[in-house]
Amino acid sequence: MAIIKPNNNTISAITALPAAISTGKALQIISTPDVGDLSQASTNSTTYADISGVDLVLTPTASSSKFLLFLSYNIDTGGNGHGVGGRLTYNHSGISQTEVDDRYGVSNSEVHADRLNSWQTQNYYLAPNTTNEITFRLQINSSSNGELIYFNRGTLRIMAVEYA
């Protein structure tokens, strides 16, 4: 195999990409703090309820900023055939929490099974077009006949990467 030398340079001599190649830039990376001492939450409501004490609050650097959002958490269905739903919401207008991505039906993470104690992970893209402060929050519900489900608040981690 032949060795290709860009512009007749060795690889070690290249210090930057050509100007025509667009590169993104991370503007800020922010995460919820360690909340390992928070108690377990539970609900039997089929209406989504906020998980308190674990909000991620940030102010975008520019209105054109985009976000990659990552979250992980632990759920327990509480019994055979119980379902639990979880969705990530955001609020930048002070009016109400809006689901980050509603393309997946009533819930972004829904489990119906024998009793299940499981780690869940979700990833999102969001372009909120604002420089107002944004609050990200997880909401859960009991998605099967209102049976009691559990959420370990101490395991919730929300991370946002803002980029240009």
Side-chain angles (χ1 to χ4, degrees):
M1 172 170 35
I3 296 177
I4 299 172
K5 291 179 154 188
N7 294 330
N8 209 22
N9 290 313
T10 64
I11 295 297
S12 62
I14 298 173
T15 59
L17 293 173
I21 297 177
S22 174
T23 59
K25 179 180 179 185
L27 303 174
Q28 66 175 321
I29 300 172
I30 188 168
S31 177
T32 51
D34 180 7
V35 292
D37 59 345
L38 287 178
S39 62
Q40 186 178 62
S42 62
T43 186
N44 64 352
S45 175
T46 56
T47 302
Y48 279 99
D50 293 343
I51 294 297
S52 63
V54 199
D55 291 348
L56 177 64
V57 181
L58 59 84
T59 302
T61 305
S63 61
S64 59
S65 292
K66 298 161 190 66
F67 290 90
L68 296 176
L69 301 159
F70 308 94
L71 68 149
S72 64
Y73 54 90
N74 178 259
I75 56 170
D76 186 342
T77 59
N80 292 342
H82 295 191
V84 56
R87 67 181 184 181
L88 184 64
T89 64
Y90 74 104
N91 181 343
H92 64 78
S93 60
I95 298 170
S96 65
Q97 293 297 119
T98 302
E99 189 170 6
V100 170
D101 191 341
D102 63 357
R103 292 181 291 173
Y104 300 106
V106 296
S107 176
N108 289 330
S109 177
E110 190 166 318
V111 180
H112 291 273
D114 291 338
R115 184 170 187 156
L116 177 68
N117 186 321
S118 172
W119 280 93
Q120 301 291 306
T121 59
Q122 297 170 338
N123 305 304
Y124 299 94
Y125 163 83
L126 180 67
N129 298 313
T130 186
T131 55
N132 293 338
E133 182 179 87
I134 299 174
T135 299
F136 292 99
R137 179 177 297 149
L138 187 70
Q139 295 180 331
I140 62 167
N141 75 343
S142 175
S143 57
S144 59
N145 302 319
E147 282 130 352
L148 192 61
I149 55 97
Y150 302 93
F151 183 87
N152 185 348
R153 291 188 308 153
T155 65
L156 176 57
R157 178 73 69 178
I158 304 171
M159 185 175 76
V161 177
E162 178 184 4
Y163 66 97

